Amino acid sequence: MATLRLDGLKKTYPNGFVALHGLDLEIADGELLVVVGPSGCGKSTLLRMLAGLEDITAGDLYIGEARVNPLEPADRDIAMVFQNYALYPHMSVAGNMEYALKNRGVPKEARRRKVEETASLIGLQDLLDRRPRQLSGGQRQRVAMGRAIVREPQVFLFDEPLSNLDAKLRVQMRLEIRRLQKRLGVTSVYVTHDQVEAMTLADRLIVMNEGRIEQLGSPMTLYDQPASTFVAGFIGSPAMNFLSAEASGRTLSLPCGNQLHAPVDAHGHVTLGIRPEHLVPVEESDDALAVQVELVEPLGADTLAYVQLDGQAEPLVVRFDGARRLEEGDRLWLAPDLERLHLFDPEQGQRLTTTEAITTP
Amino acid sequence: MATFQRHRLTPWILLAPQLAVIAVFFFWPAAQAIVQAFYIEDPFGLGHEFVWFENFARIFTSFEYLRALGVTALFSVSVAVGAMSLALLLAVQADRVIHGAHSYKTLLIWPYAVAPAVAGVLWMFMFDPNLGLLSAGLENLGIGWNHRVNGGQAMLLVILASIWKQMSYNFVFFLAGLQSIPKSLLEAAAIDGAGPWRRFWTVTFPLLSPTSFFLLVMNSVYVFFETFGTIDATTGGGPGGATRTLVYKVYEDGFEGYDLGSSAAQSVILLILVGLLTLLQFRYIERKVQY
Amino acid sequence: MRYRRRGLDITSHTLLILCVIVFFLPVWMAIVAATHTQSSLYTGVAPFWFGSEGFGNFLAVLSDPVGRLGTDATRLLVNSTIMALGIAVGKITIAILAAYAIVFFRFPFRMLCFWAIFITLMLPVEVRIMPTYKVVAGLGMLNSYTGLILPLIASATATFLFRQFYLTVPPELLEAARVDGAGPWRFLRDILLPLSKTNIAALFVIMFLYGWNQYLWPLLITTESDYMTVVISLKRMLTSADNLVPWHTVTATALLAMLPPVIVIVLMQRYFVKGLVDTEK
């Protein structure tokens, strides 16, 4: 087991495109770090650099105490689970699992023992003689996991391992990965574009955007205190609502005429962020936001409503209790949870925490 | 594409055999042919003289060469049209029938394995002036057959032998092409009110056009080069040059006439011709990739 | 979409069966002729039914020198087999390696190598016959198996097929293998070759036929009958006849010459069709 340290890790492609702008990061022993972001944000490049599948343009990568920049993937003592599993189609399950051991010169008997041990750990013991094409998607995923576990690596790397599974299986495998990772205690980096997967799996979470880390922290930190509109929009589903507002000290004026008490001092034009679950229906009053329901999406436990608020181009999303009956065209009054308002710089998108941050009139 | 990045020598070791073979047996001879085309060498190799384009000028003013060009053109068109239309007709039938498509494929594919020279010999036997089945049949119809004397008949013989051999190749491709046409397209056409005949000409045939074009080129290349065996074994280019194709003339001038400069210049012309054909094909295929 | 029309179906079957028969006719005539003596052949039009010789003519050409060839058909068949196998195995081997280098490695002049190899697709041996002959003569390879085989290996059809196939191999397989500690040679042996099995089979059929059916090249460089191939021998048998063509031995030899490739194509039809269609796509 080992820590993983990234020191100014940078990737520039031959065509000049900078995929990573110098990443500094330390991943603790046994930690599961999830990297999430939209496609093209550099998360896969990062993972492939950790694996040694992409060259590192600048900066240093340490696994444990060793600098591994010049090492081949096989010499880094890592294991990787690929998105499409990358199982060798002509080898049996056992063959797939023992291939790395074979290449390391592990004797046959020891290999067999290791494979059987791992197979029973993840419930593959009856499938060892099958070929990958005879397996279901979930079973293939398991084999890919088994292939990684059997080598007892210092680091697990997961490249969107669940994205090829159907929704139900994805939830099940997500739990299993979490359980296995905790049980084995192997330091892991997990790349995904699915924020639910990211929230549920992560010890710590990185949101990446355009080759940079937008925010690093525990899942709840990112949810409660998103560092930017990008993170705020990415974490949480449905996404946070953004409204434009004018701030003056602790007073926020909305275009619809309402005034709200701001969580921080600010002046001038700001972006106000409110999560769908932090808009609470109330009785008609002057302080409440008057909205009209445009569209209703009943999900069972919850009901989502898209509502129109004066002065806003985009409808707001509001999460209601599933028991509440709503119709299109209904007029409602909503009160935002004042403790959970988020203010952002309307230009740069950063979270506002002090008055100084605002300069726009 | 994922690659091995840190191995500098390995790719060269892997490429070495291929590069060595093409260097010695392809590029060196090809370069020689091009150089040779600008020289006139005396038949005993005692001396040679740089003559610019004289060899080419000689070729294009030579009646023999122009005749060979005409023979090749006639031969190509006949074989391409004959072998392709027959193949298309049969492939459509084989694609239609519910049972036996596979058996028909097996029963029609084997002539492809027969050497062009052997194909020529088999058909020569059918047309043997003394005991050939077909020549005897023609005799009964009042047509005297002797391809050793009659140039047109000699041509017909090599054309038939070549169609016989090449049909199977075209058949395989047409059948594959037909089977890859989505059935839903034809169903849509049927719903739109097109009958079988109309469906074939408005849906199937246009969708087969990339295959057809490809086969046209392949059949031409086949006639250009591989029919050498058919011609040499049956007619020897005769009678009187009636079946002498361009490649046959290269061979005759080089190995029997010892006119090395002319033979080389003819090779260069052929090279350009084939090059153009291939280029045309690549362009066409690239353009038709959307299909 | 098929119309279930009995009449149409019968027409199709009739047409197909008719063509199958017409295509087989020359072979049937040859088989029949090969069972006759020369004198029984030359009594009129070629016969439709077997003669008195049975396999006699075949056994004769296989064991005794044929006509003025100075060698028997066994020798010719052995030579053809060596040539066809040599070309098939040689081409496939160098193609596997060269395509591997081009697809799975990045190195200086890679594109130049690529084009150098693929330009050979355009120019068959027939075009550069004279200078190639000189090169082979200069290397002392006339009348040798290497002389028969090597120049015909110098084209890129097989390399092209393998390149096309390698490009369809998911890149993650290579990455997984690298993570699993496989270097280039191990990846080739453990992963790529096993995955190429059907392609190798397909190419083997195509190249075997190509090699077996060669005409011009062996005609030029085999002046000694010891290295002559069976396909070439036919012409000499036809022309060496004083007046009447010895059709009973010519047909027997022609049938022997077409038997191995026809067997190969019928047995390996599945691979052959796949290989053919893939090579040209």
Side-chain angles (χ1 to χ4, degrees):
Chain A
M1 311 303 124
T3 56
L4 202 64
R5 188 151 62 85
L6 285 64
D7 237 351
L9 215 59
K10 189 175 174 185
K11 175 75 189 180
T12 311
Y13 281 106
N15 63 9
F17 176 73
V18 183
L20 284 184
H21 294 268
L23 246 57
D24 296 308
L25 186 63
E26 213 167 321
I27 303 163
D29 191 4
E31 182 183 15
L32 196 157
L33 178 87
V34 175
V35 184
V36 68
S39 56
C41 71
K43 59 186 192 297
S44 291
T45 309
L46 170 64
L47 194 75
R48 294 163 54 79
M49 282 162 83
L50 300 183
L53 297 169
E54 296 273 359
D55 282 332
I56 295 169
T57 313
D60 298 303
L61 173 64
Y62 296 87
I63 297 178
E65 292 308 307
R67 182 176 175 276
V68 297
N69 287 38
L71 295 188
E72 277 284 308
D75 304 326
R76 295 187 178 195
D77 210 3
I78 49 128
M80 186 154 169
V81 179
F82 292 86
Q83 180 173 4
N84 62 5
Y85 319 135
L87 300 178
Y88 310 122
H90 59 293
M91 293 184 190
S92 65
V93 169
N96 267 282
M97 287 171 64
E98 68 169 1
Y99 186 59
L101 301 177
K102 209 167 160 183
N103 287 337
R104 282 187 194 170
V106 177
K108 196 169 181 179
E109 193 47 38
R111 284 197 320 248
R112 201 183 55 81
R113 208 157 355 99
K114 250 341 302 172
V115 167
E116 279 173 4
E117 234 173 78
T118 312
S120 60
L121 178 71
I122 52 176
L124 282 175
Q125 55 275 57
D126 300 329
L127 303 175
L128 284 175
D129 296 326
R130 300 266 186 95
R131 293 289 164 94
R133 67 164 176 281
Q134 300 167 302
L135 301 177
S136 69
Q139 289 168 332
R140 284 180 209 181
Q141 221 288 323
R142 253 171 237 269
V143 178
M145 293 281 298
R147 188 168 66 173
I149 294 170
V150 77
R151 320 167 34 182
E152 302 177 339
Q154 304 232 40
V155 179
F156 280 144
L157 302 173
F158 296 91
D159 187 7
E160 311 216 10
L162 303 181
S163 59
N164 285 359
L165 299 178
D166 62 53
K168 195 174 159 200
L169 211 49
R170 206 176 317 166
V171 174
Q172 187 189 332
M173 288 307 296
R174 197 166 77 200
L175 280 169
E176 200 156 328
I177 288 180
R178 183 67 182 157
R179 205 177 299 140
L180 272 170
Q181 195 268 337
K182 283 298 149 216
R183 178 161 163 197
L184 299 168
V186 178
T187 314
S188 305
V189 179
Y190 187 110
V191 160
T192 179
H193 65 266
D194 179 343
Q195 58 98 15
V196 177
E197 220 171 281
M199 295 282 283
T200 50
L201 277 173
D203 289 322
R204 281 192 302 160
L205 185 57
I206 288 181
V207 176
M208 280 189 72
N209 186 26
E210 292 179 348
R212 290 193 172 83
I213 294 182
E214 285 275 333
Q215 191 171 5
L216 163 66
S218 73
M220 282 319 283
T221 311
L222 267 64
Y223 178 82
D224 288 334
Q225 290 153 357
S228 63
T229 48
F230 184 83
V231 177
F234 206 84
I235 301 293
S237 169
M240 186 184 277
N241 298 299
F242 295 114
L243 297 83
S244 55
E246 293 296 324
S248 167
R250 288 273 173 148
T251 310
L252 284 173
S253 310
L254 296 180
C256 56
N258 295 64
Q259 295 204 325
L260 297 172
H261 183 73
V264 291
D265 284 346
H267 288 282
H269 199 54
V270 294
T271 300
L272 167 66
I274 313 174
R275 294 201 180 274
E277 48 274 37
H278 299 148
L279 283 164
V280 188
V282 290
E283 293 295 307
E284 179 174 356
S285 81
D286 287 346
D287 294 341
L289 305 174
V291 297
Q292 181 161 19
V293 176
E294 254 187 10
L295 198 75
V296 182
E297 283 183 351
L299 300 176
D302 300 323
T303 294
L304 299 180
Y306 293 81
V307 302
Q308 192 65 53
L309 176 67
D310 278 351
Q312 302 296 332
E314 295 287 311
L316 307 182
V317 188
V318 187
R319 190 192 295 274
F320 291 100
D321 188 279
R324 184 169 180 128
R325 293 284 170 266
L326 286 168
E327 295 280 336
E328 281 167 32
D330 284 358
R331 295 200 69 85
L332 297 171
W333 285 265
L334 300 171
D337 181 345
L338 296 179
E339 301 296 304
R340 309 183 93 157
L341 297 182
H342 309 269
L343 288 191
F344 301 98
D345 178 325
E347 246 114 87
Q348 309 295 322
Q350 294 108 340
R351 181 181 191 82
L352 298 179
T353 47
T354 59
T355 26
E356 281 79 20
I358 279 302
T359 47
T360 43
Chain B
M1 193 69 212
T3 52
F4 290 103
Q5 290 138 355
R6 291 168 205 216
H7 300 265
R8 306 222 174 278
L9 193 59
T10 320
W12 293 107
I13 296 172
L14 293 166
L15 275 171
Q18 171 99 59
L19 291 181
V21 170
I22 61 171
V24 175
F25 296 108
F26 183 85
F27 283 104
W28 178 243
Q32 294 270 301
I34 292 168
V35 171
Q36 189 100 66
F38 293 95
Y39 281 90
I40 287 182
E41 192 163 339
D42 81 84
F44 306 102
L46 297 175
H48 57 102
E49 186 193 349
F50 184 74
V51 293
W52 288 105
F53 290 94
E54 198 184 311
N55 286 321
F56 292 94
R58 222 156 28 100
I59 289 167
F60 282 115
T61 51
S62 132
F63 168 74
E64 287 296 308
Y65 188 79
L66 295 177
R67 180 161 182 215
L69 197 63
V71 165
T72 311
L74 176 66
F75 196 8
S76 290
V77 171
S78 312
V79 172
V81 170
M84 282 172 68
S85 41
L86 188 59
L88 182 58
L89 176 70
L90 293 180
V92 169
Q93 308 309 320
D95 185 47
R96 270 200 75 253
V97 298
I98 295 115
H99 301 291
H102 188 75
S103 319
Y104 285 125
K105 195 148 92 180
T106 311
L107 289 171
L108 286 171
I109 208 176
W110 58 270
Y112 180 78
V114 179
V118 176
V121 170
L122 291 178
W123 281 91
M124 201 160 116
F125 181 56
M126 300 286 285
F127 279 110
D128 186 88
N130 293 319
L131 41 73
L133 183 67
L134 295 177
S135 46
L138 289 169
E139 207 83 54
N140 285 341
L141 296 173
I143 304 166
W145 181 279
N146 193 343
H147 56 260
R148 285 173 203 159
V149 199
N150 185 318
Q153 292 178 351
M155 191 73 192
L156 204 57
L157 172 65
V158 290
I159 288 174
L160 274 178
S162 303
I163 291 179
W164 180 79
K165 157 135 171 81
Q166 196 61 7
M167 199 291 290
S168 51
Y169 180 84
N170 299 342
F171 178 78
V172 167
F173 277 90
F174 275 133
L175 191 58
L178 284 170
Q179 286 172 342
S180 73
I181 292 178
K183 294 284 170 266
S184 57
L185 266 178
L186 295 172
E187 282 160 3
I191 289 165
D192 287 343
W197 185 251
R198 202 177 171 78
R199 277 206 306 275
F200 178 79
W201 288 111
T202 55
V203 180
T204 311
F205 192 72
L207 286 177
L208 279 180
S209 69
T211 311
S212 311
F213 184 81
F214 162 78
L215 287 176
L216 192 66
V217 173
M218 292 314 286
N219 282 298
S220 309
V221 170
Y222 172 78
V223 169
F224 267 56
F225 301 111
E226 286 174 55
T227 54
F228 180 92
T230 317
I231 292 169
D232 191 52
T234 55
T235 65
T243 55
R244 191 192 289 131
T245 58
L246 292 175
V247 169
Y248 205 82
K249 193 158 162 30
V250 171
Y251 163 76
E252 270 189 353
D253 288 354
F255 286 90
E256 288 170 7
Y258 290 103
D259 187 350
L260 300 184
S262 169
S263 171
Q266 291 178 37
S267 294
V268 171
I269 296 170
L270 264 181
L271 191 148
I272 293 168
L273 260 174
V274 181
L276 285 178
L277 266 179
T278 316
L279 217 62
L280 194 70
Q281 186 185 352
F282 276 150
R283 297 263 328 241
Y284 189 82
I285 286 175
E286 254 165 39
R287 207 147 41 84
K288 290 284 173 179
V289 152
Q290 297 92 310
Y291 271 133
Chain C
M1 167 111 185
R2 287 155 177 142
Y3 270 63
R4 298 278 186 280
R5 285 195 201 155
R6 190 164 272 278
L8 263 179
D9 260 14
I10 290 171
T11 320
S12 291
H13 280 295
T14 315
L15 205 62
L16 284 163
I17 290 167
L18 204 69
C19 274
V20 167
I21 292 171
V22 170
F23 269 76
F24 190 67
L25 189 63
V27 180
W28 174 256
M29 296 307 289
I31 294 171
V32 168
T35 63
H36 282 264
T37 60
Q38 178 155 14
S39 47
S40 76
L41 268 185
Y42 276 96
T43 48
V45 179
F48 264 111
W49 199 247
F50 300 111
S52 56
E53 291 297 292
F55 289 108
N57 288 332
F58 292 98
L59 296 175
V61 293
L62 283 171
S63 55
D64 306 322
V66 186
R68 290 186 199 153
L69 285 182
T71 187
D72 56 63
T74 310
R75 175 89 243 158
L76 299 172
L77 287 168
V78 168
N79 288 343
S80 283
T81 309
I82 291 174
M83 181 178 176
L85 285 179
I87 288 173
V89 172
K91 248 189 169 168
I92 291 172
T93 309
I94 65 171
I96 285 174
L97 300 179
Y100 183 49
I102 281 177
V103 174
F104 288 101
F105 291 83
R106 289 293 170 272
F107 52 94
F109 307 115
R110 189 179 75 96
M111 285 318 279
L112 186 71
C113 291
F114 175 85
W115 285 111
I117 291 170
F118 291 110
I119 202 165
T120 62
L121 274 178
M122 291 170 30
L123 304 173
V125 74
E126 283 81 358
V127 174
R128 55 197 153 86
I129 196 81
M130 190 74 214
T132 310
Y133 175 81
K134 278 191 178 166
V135 167
V136 171
L139 292 171
M141 286 182 184
L142 297 183
N143 290 311
S144 74
Y145 290 126
T146 36
L148 273 173
I149 293 167
L150 276 185
L152 294 172
I153 290 181
S155 101
T157 33
T159 317
F160 194 65
L161 177 81
F162 278 113
R163 174 180 171 269
Q164 297 301 82
F165 170 66
Y166 289 165
L167 287 175
T168 66
V169 172
E172 288 86 358
L173 274 191
L174 170 67
E175 295 178 339
R178 282 181 66 195
V179 173
D180 280 347
W185 296 100
R186 250 196 203 139
F187 178 67
L188 180 65
R189 189 196 63 195
D190 292 347
I191 317 281
L192 212 49
L193 283 185
L195 291 181
S196 314
K197 266 192 290 194
T198 44
N199 288 284
I200 292 175
L203 216 54
F204 180 83
V205 181
I206 292 173
M207 290 306 153
F208 184 86
L209 299 186
Y210 169 82
W212 185 279
N213 292 343
Q214 279 301 312
Y215 189 87
L216 179 52
W217 185 246
L219 178 71
L220 288 182
I221 78 150
T222 57
T223 48
E224 287 170 22
S225 50
D226 277 353
Y227 289 96
M228 195 184 290
T229 66
V230 66
V231 174
I232 303 308
S233 72
L234 290 171
K235 156 116 189 238
R236 305 210 184 168
M237 290 170 67
L238 287 167
T239 48
S240 63
D242 299 325
N243 39 28
L244 290 182
V245 180
W247 278 115
H248 61 299
T249 51
V250 172
T251 48
T253 315
L255 289 168
L256 288 173
M258 60 180 273
L259 197 60
V262 168
I263 289 175
V264 166
I265 208 174
V266 169
L267 288 185
M268 297 178 76
Q269 185 189 336
R270 194 163 61 86
Y271 299 110
F272 165 74
V273 171
K274 179 189 165 349
L276 206 61
V277 175
D278 283 359
T279 333
E280 317 295 6
K281 280 285 150 76

